Amino acid sequence: MTAVAQYAIPGTIIAVVLFFRLRSVGKARRLRLERLWILPAFYAAIVGFVFWSAPPHGLTWLWCLVALAVGAGLGWWRGKLMHVAVDPETHELSQTVSPAALIFIVALIAIRSGSRAMAVQMAGPGHAGLMAATDILMAFALGFIAFQRIEIFLRARRMLAEARAKRL
């Protein structure tokens, strides 16, 4: 694959996804609390399988834990940027992606792409450095996805309980 295609294909995919995501910024979507666990559980299973089949070695475990913690913090922060509302009549939950949350994701994608390019250059003749970078990025993504959903779940559940208490 040529160097141009190596960046053009992911760049095009990201641009298309961002185009569709930008259209939904500011629009309320139904939030189903009972489904928030599905994506983090699915991704945790994938990460668990990858780590089981090809476990990280040495200090890579420590870097994975650090990446998981950083991802958790940033995921919690992004979750806070999401607007959650409760309809006072029907108690239906909705969420709205804020422009700040979308900009945050774009910045993370840019940082991830840059770090992946650095990892490929640092990998040298072997692929151990690239495997370590992939493991670290997977741990980061797991923390990010899980804690974003946890923050939204806790906040939405609290708001729903408050709305129900007002109705009684």
Side-chain angles (χ1 to χ4, degrees), residues 55-100:
H57 298 286
L59 283 178
T60 305
W61 278 111
L62 175 65
W63 286 111
C64 286
L65 289 174
V66 169
L68 182 72
V70 170
L74 291 174
W76 192 271
W77 186 34
R78 182 168 191 267
K80 285 201 163 295
L81 293 174
M82 306 285 278
H83 177 69
V84 177
V86 180
D87 185 301
E89 298 298 320
T90 64
H91 293 156
E92 187 173 288
L93 290 164
S94 64
Q95 73 177 9
T96 307
V97 177
S98 73

Side-chain angles (χ1 to χ4, degrees), residues 47-150:
V47 171
F49 176 75
V50 168
F51 279 18
W52 172 76
S53 64
H57 298 286
L59 283 178
T60 305
W61 278 111
L62 175 65
W63 286 111
C64 286
L65 289 174
V66 169
L68 182 72
V70 170
L74 291 174
W76 192 271
W77 186 34
R78 182 168 191 267
K80 285 201 163 295
L81 293 174
M82 306 285 278
H83 177 69
V84 177
V86 180
D87 185 301
E89 298 298 320
T90 64
H91 293 156
E92 187 173 288
L93 290 164
S94 64
Q95 73 177 9
T96 307
V97 177
S98 73
L102 187 61
I103 290 169
F104 183 71
I105 282 293
V106 171
L108 284 178
I109 290 170
I111 290 168
R112 182 177 181 271
S113 297
S115 64
R116 184 185 324 155
M118 284 177 41
V120 169
Q121 289 176 353
M122 291 171 35
H127 70 286
L130 186 58
M131 291 294 291
T134 303
D135 291 342
I136 292 166
L137 290 172
M138 287 179 66
F140 173 84
L142 177 61
F144 187 83
I145 292 167
F147 278 83
Q148 174 187 343
R149 300 288 178 113
I150 289 169

